[in-house]
């Protein structure tokens, strides 16, 4: 193996200048050490006239050329002169491509350091723009939905069914798992204190009420936001980055009608169905705890049926339509407003999930207040 | 190993494909040091496939690919990394990392594979960008510059570590004639100054005639090399009709009504 070694010697010259002698292989592996050494020398012993002796350089790649440019740049920055001697012809040719004067500024147009007023201004502006986009999107969506209602044959039902399958039916396993476990765990946790009062049977009331009215819709919506909202955003975002959205527009096909309406309809159908399913599985999960405590299944069922009525089920379901619209709408909006490349798609998917979950929780709170005042 | 008489790339009896039968069968060729070597052929003939196997992205069915004396097909682990460090690749669409500025893209290999100080890497990165004519765009994101600039930045990234061999996949495809000619000039300049070997996949005739020292032509039906040599010579003297057709931009007689098109074409050329 060849030696990967480079060294630097400094000698004073008779006229008070400095002479740097570079020796050995100046390649990417060896130049690092010499580079630091040279910078130190120049900082400690500034010299108005630097003589660089390059005659002993055995091989030199662009890192070595970089070092020579750097030395020249430092001298020019300090208002000093420099001279390179003994550089081989081919390396000289390489060096001639670069003028140290071109690299004088430490870093060109460094992004400005953030200042509070500028950041606030930028944030407000982007918030305002975002709001405008949101309003425009909702408007377009409403128009497209009305158009779809007036001409149901123009909706691309095949796409909608496919999306329903991917976003809805394929979500069944995870919905089952989570609802069952939540029902089971909640029943188990509440059964322990209730046992002290001999009131274990009321676990059935607790599970069925909370599952149908609150937890079922909320959990399903959050799972869908994480599973399908992000998928919508990523898919549409990639389409946007690949100019597929532009292609649709120039073909005279409205992306909102073509892509968003189908997803919205699919989500509108999938969310309530999955919610009913989640509630059912959650109640089944709760039953396991009571069965192990020795209550017969029929007792549990009777207790559940006496605790909840159709209003509870419907009040839970009413929310899910709104959740479905939110999940699909936010996902598609984030997808359609994607900018940049791969990282832009990632940002959109993140925003779709985060905004989706926040809006779901806020909407759920609003529903709770409304139901309270309506006495439902 | 650095003996200039030995070929820098030696491909022997290479058979490649993606699991559905071979795309190229028993291909052998050599590339000499300092050459601008162009792989050409019609769409779907396996140009990019060949390139992707030469840079070690896929494993061939059979055959050996010697890059600078070492076989990349059988190399594993550290040895493979050593070979990969000697090559630079610029992809068809640039493949710049979208979340990094052009300078960061170029500095990435320097960051990872050298021990140079921070400002040295910075300066080297800027020198590479200067070399491809992108001075002043250091802090732009790839999405903020034009397609031609992205391709040039990709070349700057590929030459960051002074590779012995530079692979370019369709560098001038999709560029306007002026930008494409500039890119050809850039490649010639780099070949002259860096003393690297260039392997280029292309089907842009003007750029092939402008820069190639040596070409091989692949064909879909033949599943291999149907011609090898200098482009101008192949255009005028190739015994193979497919080769002449390619270089003279003639429509295949089997796909078009022969008479009308042919006569018009020959009028153009006379």
């Amino acid at each position: 193996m060849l030696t990967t070694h480079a060294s630097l010697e400094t000698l004073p010259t008779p006229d008070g200048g400095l002479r740097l002698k570079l020796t050995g292989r100046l390649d990417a592996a060896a130049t690092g050490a010499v580079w630091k050494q040279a910078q130190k020398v120049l900082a400690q012993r500034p010299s108005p006239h630097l003589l660089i002796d390059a005659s002993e350089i055995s091989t030199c790649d662009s890192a070595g050329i970089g070092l020579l440019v750097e030395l020249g740049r430092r001298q020019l920055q300090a208002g000093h002169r420099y001279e390179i001697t003994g550089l081989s012809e081919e390396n000289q040719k390489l060096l001639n491509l670069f003028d140290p004067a071109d690299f004088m500024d430490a870093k060109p147009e460094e992004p400005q350091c953030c200042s509070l007023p500028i950041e606030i201004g930028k944030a407000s502006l982007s918030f305002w723009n975002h709001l405008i986009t949101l309003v425009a999107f909702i408007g377009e969506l409403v128009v497209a939905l009305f158009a779809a209602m007036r001409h149901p044959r123009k909706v691309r039902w095949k796409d909608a069914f496919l999306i329903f399958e991917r976003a809805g039916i394929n979500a069944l396993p995870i919905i089952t798992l989570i609802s069952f476990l939540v029902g089971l765990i909640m029943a188990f946790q509440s059964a322990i204190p209730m046992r002290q009062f001999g009131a274990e049977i009321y676990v059935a009331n607790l599970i069925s009420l909370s599952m149908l009215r609150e937890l079922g819709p909320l959990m399903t919506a959050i799972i869908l936001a994480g599973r399908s909202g992000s998928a919508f955003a990523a898919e549409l975002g990639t389409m946007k980055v690949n100019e597929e959205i532009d292609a649709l527009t120039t073909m005279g096909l409205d992306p909102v009608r073509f892509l968003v309406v189908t997803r919205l309809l699919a989500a509108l159908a999938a969310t309530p169905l999955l919610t009913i399913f989640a509630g059912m599985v959650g109640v089944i999960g709760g039953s396991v705890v009571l069965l192990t405590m020795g209550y017969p299944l029929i007792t549990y069922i009777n207790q559940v049926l006496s605790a909840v009525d159709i209003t509870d089920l419907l009040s839970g379901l009413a929310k899910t339509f709104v959740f479905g619209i939110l999940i699909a709408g936010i996902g598609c909006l984030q997808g359609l407003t994607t900018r940049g490349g791969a990282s832009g798609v990632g940002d959109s998917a993140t925003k779709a999930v985060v905004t989706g979950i926040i809006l779901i929780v806020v909407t759920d709170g609003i529903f709770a207040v409304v139901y309270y005042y309506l006495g439902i | 190993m650095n003996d200039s008489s030995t070929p820098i790339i030696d491909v022997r009896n290479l058979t490649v494909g993606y699991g559905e039968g071979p795309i190229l069968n028993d291909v052998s060729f050599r590339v000499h040091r300092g050459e601008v070597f162009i792989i050409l052929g019609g769409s779907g003939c396996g140009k990019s496939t060949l390139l992707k196997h030469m840079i070690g992205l896929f494993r061939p069915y059979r055959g050996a690919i010697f890059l600078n004396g070492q076989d990349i097909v059988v190399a594993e682990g550290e040895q493979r990394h050593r070979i990969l460090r000697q090559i630079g690749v610029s992809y068809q669409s640039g493949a710049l990392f979208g979340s990094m500025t052009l300078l960061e893209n170029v500095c990435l290999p320097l960051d990872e594979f050298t021990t140079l100080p921070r400002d040295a890497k910075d300066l080297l990165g800027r020198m590479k960008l200067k070399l491809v004519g992108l001075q002043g765009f250091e802090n732009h994101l790839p999405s903020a510059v034009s397609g031609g600039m992205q391709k040039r930045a990709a070349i700057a990234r590929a030459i960051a570590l002074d590779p012995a061999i530079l692979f370019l996949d369709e560098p001038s495809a999709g560029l306007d004639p002026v930008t494409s000619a500039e890119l050809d000039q850039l490649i010639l300049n780099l070949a002259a100054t860096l003393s690297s070997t260039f392997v280029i996949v292309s089907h842009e005739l003007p750029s092939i005639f402008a820069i190639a020292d040596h070409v091989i032509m692949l064909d879909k039906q033949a599943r291999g090399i149907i011609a090898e040599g200098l482009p101008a010579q192949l255009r005028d003297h190739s015994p193979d009709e497919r080769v002449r057709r390619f270089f003279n931009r003639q429509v295949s007689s089997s796909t078009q009504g022969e008479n009308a098109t042919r006569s018009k074409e020959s009028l153009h050329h006379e």
Side-chain angles (χ1 to χ4, degrees):
Chain A
M1 190 163 157
L2 287 159
T3 50
T4 54
H5 189 69
S7 64
L8 176 93
E9 271 178 81
T10 50
L11 308 155
T13 55
D15 59 341
L18 193 66
R19 191 182 152 94
L20 281 183
K21 189 171 180 186
L22 294 161
T23 324
R25 289 167 63 91
L26 278 185
D27 56 12
T31 306
V34 179
W35 192 293
K36 284 181 199 146
Q37 212 184 332
Q39 280 181 336
K40 217 193 260 169
V41 169
L42 283 193
Q44 281 169 354
R45 298 160 65 180
S47 154
H49 188 93
L50 183 71
L51 206 65
I52 301 164
D53 183 356
S55 56
E56 299 277 306
I57 297 175
S58 58
T59 46
C60 181
D61 70 358
S62 64
I65 300 293
L67 176 61
L68 296 177
V69 173
E70 167 78 6
L71 290 173
R73 178 176 80 161
R74 297 219 154 217
Q75 285 298 98
L76 290 180
Q77 257 169 351
H80 299 325
R81 284 178 302 133
Y82 74 102
E83 200 180 320
I84 298 171
T85 56
L87 194 63
S88 72
E89 199 177 320
E90 56 182 300
N91 287 335
Q92 187 64 48
K93 223 166 49 183
L94 260 177
L95 184 62
N96 288 345
L97 294 174
F98 308 103
D99 183 0
D102 286 343
F103 303 99
M104 291 292 273
D105 44 340
K107 243 187 175 184
E109 35 177 320
E110 182 81 10
Q112 273 195 337
C113 191
C114 44
S115 80
L116 191 63
I118 293 178
E119 288 301 306
I120 292 177
K122 275 186 186 164
S124 335
L125 191 66
S126 88
F127 178 75
W128 179 244
N129 286 338
H130 193 73
L131 213 63
I132 291 175
T133 328
L134 188 68
V135 172
F137 177 73
I138 293 174
E140 271 182 75
L141 192 53
V142 170
V143 171
L145 278 178
F146 270 110
M149 279 198 306
R150 276 221 315 271
H151 310 284
R153 281 165 156 248
K154 284 202 153 184
V155 177
R156 297 178 57 89
W157 292 109
K158 215 174 104 197
D159 288 357
F161 277 122
L162 263 176
I163 296 162
F164 175 77
E165 188 189 336
R166 277 191 309 182
I169 299 173
N170 294 353
L172 281 177
I174 181 140
I175 299 260
T176 313
L177 178 75
I178 293 192
S179 310
F180 185 82
L181 283 181
V182 166
L184 185 92
I185 293 164
M186 229 172 42
F188 185 69
Q189 293 295 343
S190 52
I192 296 168
M194 283 198 187
R195 194 172 210 173
Q196 296 175 5
F197 307 101
E200 299 104 303
I201 190 62
Y202 289 104
V203 168
N205 297 44
L206 186 128
I207 297 289
S208 52
L209 261 180
S210 58
M211 269 296 170
L212 290 190
R213 286 189 69 115
E214 206 48 63
L215 278 179
L218 200 60
M219 275 184 335
T220 312
I222 288 177
I223 291 172
L224 277 184
R227 199 178 168 281
S228 303
S230 58
F232 293 167
E235 188 179 350
L236 265 58
T238 312
M239 288 178 78
K240 169 94 181 180
V241 172
N242 287 344
E243 299 181 322
E244 288 172 44
I245 304 274
D246 299 346
L248 280 177
T249 315
T250 46
M251 276 192 265
L253 301 167
D254 177 19
V256 171
R257 180 181 79 79
F258 201 80
L259 299 169
V260 183
V261 168
T262 46
R263 282 171 175 71
L264 204 75
L265 291 176
L268 263 180
T271 322
L273 290 175
L274 285 174
T275 304
I276 295 175
F277 182 75
M280 212 170 67
V281 175
V283 171
I284 293 172
S287 76
V288 174
V289 173
L290 281 195
L291 285 181
T292 53
M293 286 182 158
Y295 287 88
L297 187 60
I298 187 71
T299 322
Y300 183 78
I301 293 173
N302 281 335
Q303 190 69 22
V304 166
L305 291 179
S306 72
V308 291
D309 55 21
I310 195 75
T311 339
D312 294 313
L313 183 69
L314 290 182
S315 72
L317 280 185
K319 292 194 271 196
T320 62
F321 291 101
V322 182
F323 291 162
I325 292 175
L326 283 176
I327 293 163
I330 303 276
C332 294
L333 171 65
Q334 294 298 350
L336 289 178
T337 52
T338 301
R339 279 214 196 124
S343 60
V345 176
D347 284 345
S348 293
T350 311
K351 272 193 221 154
V353 176
V354 172
T355 322
I357 290 178
I358 292 174
L359 284 184
I360 286 166
V361 174
V362 169
T363 315
D364 195 49
I366 295 173
F367 266 104
V369 174
V370 170
Y371 285 164
Y372 176 76
Y373 280 107
L374 292 179
I376 299 172
Chain B
M1 202 171 89
N2 282 321
D3 181 10
S4 59
S5 61
T6 55
I8 190 159
I9 301 175
D10 190 354
V11 173
R12 293 184 197 159
N13 307 103
L14 191 71
T15 300
V16 299
Y18 298 114
E20 299 155 357
I23 294 172
L24 293 172
N25 213 342
D26 203 17
V27 171
S28 301
F29 60 90
R30 289 172 166 196
V31 183
H32 295 281
R33 278 169 208 282
E35 260 183 352
V36 175
F37 181 86
I38 294 194
I39 302 169
L40 48 88
S43 296
C45 70
K47 301 187 297 286
S48 292
T49 306
L50 178 60
L51 187 87
K52 282 178 178 161
H53 281 81
M54 286 169 73
I55 57 181
L57 284 179
F58 299 102
R59 194 175 271 271
Y61 293 158
R62 268 191 309 282
I65 302 163
F66 289 93
L67 300 180
N68 218 352
Q70 289 169 300
D71 188 353
I72 195 169
V73 176
V74 295
E76 296 279 352
E78 189 48 40
Q79 197 194 356
R80 189 180 179 83
H81 280 282
R82 264 208 305 281
I83 300 175
L84 289 177
R85 290 267 289 280
Q86 298 176 20
I87 67 173
V89 186
S90 117
Y91 292 89
Q92 230 171 78
S93 58
L96 295 169
F97 303 114
S99 54
M100 299 179 178
T101 63
L102 297 190
L103 184 62
E104 286 167 337
N105 263 292
V106 178
C107 283
L108 181 68
L110 294 169
D111 277 340
E112 292 295 316
F113 298 118
T114 67
T115 52
L116 294 170
R118 178 76 247 157
D119 49 349
K121 286 183 259 193
D122 236 58
L123 180 67
L124 283 182
R126 288 170 62 192
M127 281 165 60
K128 302 292 180 192
L129 283 173
K130 163 100 199 297
L131 211 52
V132 298
L134 284 175
Q135 195 166 34
F137 293 94
E138 284 89 350
N139 290 323
H140 284 59
L141 286 173
S143 52
V145 300
S146 70
M149 287 174 166
Q150 287 181 13
K151 294 211 170 181
R152 281 187 281 161
I155 294 178
R157 186 177 69 182
I159 59 175
L161 290 173
D162 294 324
I165 314 167
L166 201 58
F167 292 92
L168 309 178
D169 194 357
E170 306 214 6
S172 45
L175 299 180
D176 68 84
V178 178
T179 317
S180 172
E182 281 171 6
L183 204 67
D184 291 343
Q185 196 56 49
L186 171 69
I187 291 169
L188 284 178
N189 283 345
L190 291 177
T193 51
L194 299 181
S195 63
S196 301
T197 308
F198 282 71
V199 176
I200 301 172
V201 164
S202 179
H203 46 212
E204 306 275 311
L205 284 174
S207 92
I208 292 168
F209 288 122
I211 60 179
D213 289 326
H214 188 175
V215 303
I216 56 171
M217 183 167 172
L218 303 176
D219 185 75
K220 201 173 178 175
Q221 265 79 43
R223 288 187 186 160
I225 300 174
I226 54 169
E228 184 168 1
L230 277 170
Q233 215 166 9
L234 292 180
R235 176 188 54 193
D236 301 331
H237 305 295
S238 173
D240 193 323
E241 199 211 334
R242 292 169 296 186
V243 179
R244 286 199 310 272
R245 225 165 35 216
F246 182 89
F247 281 107
N248 294 313
R249 303 186 51 145
Q250 280 168 344
V251 179
S252 157
S253 47
S254 57
T255 53
Q256 274 284 332
E258 189 168 359
N259 312 328
T261 337
R262 284 306 271 285
S263 57
K264 226 178 182 180
E265 284 278 332
S266 53
L267 270 179
H268 273 300
H269 282 283
E270 289 323 313

